[in-house]
Amino acid sequence: MNKKEKPFQLEVVSIRMVKDAPIYSDEPINTPQKAARLLGKSICDMDREVVYVINVNTKSIPINCSLVAVGTLTACMVNPREIFKSAFLSNACGIILLHNHPSNDITPSDTDVRLTQQMEEACQLVGLELFDHIIVGSDGERYFSFCEAGMLSRSAKVEPDIDV
């Protein structure tokens, strides 16, 4: 090794959550109406699609929420990795996805349906439960719930830990 060459160094990193402005709720989010009410008014005024995740504990009480993606007027790219990040750091039992449709048409797109199916499968693999995926209209009042529409299998219950 040359005297000028340094040996490879493996960087040590830390990941921390940063608290932002609070959204107050200490009641369980056990209906789509409660989830839509919690964030709907905040995201309905957005001029582009945004995706949030609400992380909940074992009693369905929100731990926190996180903005996971900001898109365009008609679309928003989101990856399960971004959705899971805050859930894992929060030690969440489950998640609720919410996103807006600035057009006020709350009908789920094919992409919305695929994302929901993908998230159900991914949640089952990592031991989280996807409680719902909710689309909020631009008025903040109207919403579409995948759970209410019977589009979630809800069979993706959290499995007990596997002993290895």
Side-chain angles (χ1 to χ4, degrees):
M1 179 183 330
N2 287 338
K3 291 180 182 178
K4 293 182 180 181
E5 284 185 36
K6 291 184 179 180
F8 172 76
Q9 292 180 335
L10 181 62
E11 299 291 331
V12 177
V13 299
S14 296
I15 299 173
R16 293 182 176 90
M17 291 183 41
V18 177
K19 292 182 181 181
D20 209 341
I23 294 176
Y24 295 100
S25 178
D26 58 358
E27 69 177 56
I29 301 179
N30 47 19
T31 66
Q33 296 90 345
K34 288 181 180 179
R37 190 176 31 205
L38 183 65
L39 276 180
K41 291 292 183 188
S42 301
I43 67 174
C44 70
D45 292 332
M46 302 286 187
D47 64 343
R48 64 199 80 188
E49 283 197 19
V50 295
V51 179
Y52 274 85
V53 60
I54 300 173
N55 299 300
V56 297
N57 67 17
T58 57
K59 297 180 192 251
S60 297
I61 295 173
I63 300 168
N64 56 42
C65 65
S66 176
L67 173 64
V68 293
V70 177
T72 65
L73 178 64
T74 59
C76 192
M77 298 277 297
V78 66
N79 187 291
R81 173 184 59 242
E82 306 308 319
I83 294 169
F84 288 145
K85 191 183 303 180
S86 66
F88 292 148
L89 291 171
S90 304
N91 200 27
C93 171
I95 61 173
I96 301 167
L97 291 177
L98 277 102
H99 81 274
N100 66 328
H101 279 182
S103 66
N104 205 31
D105 178 1
I106 56 174
T107 306
S109 67
D110 291 341
T111 304
D112 296 335
V113 173
R114 279 193 308 274
L115 172 65
T116 305
Q117 292 167 345
Q118 181 184 28
M119 286 306 303
E120 254 194 317
E121 292 171 12
C123 281
Q124 187 172 14
L125 285 172
V126 299
L128 288 172
E129 184 165 355
L130 176 61
F131 288 105
D132 207 345
H133 180 184
I134 299 169
I135 301 169
V136 179
S138 62
D139 61 4
E141 298 294 325
R142 295 171 5 113
Y143 69 88
F144 176 88
S145 161
F146 281 79
C147 188
E148 280 184 341
M151 297 173 73
L152 284 179
S153 69
R154 299 294 291 190
S155 63
K157 298 289 183 199
V158 176
E159 296 292 327
D161 291 339
I162 300 169
D163 290 330
V164 188

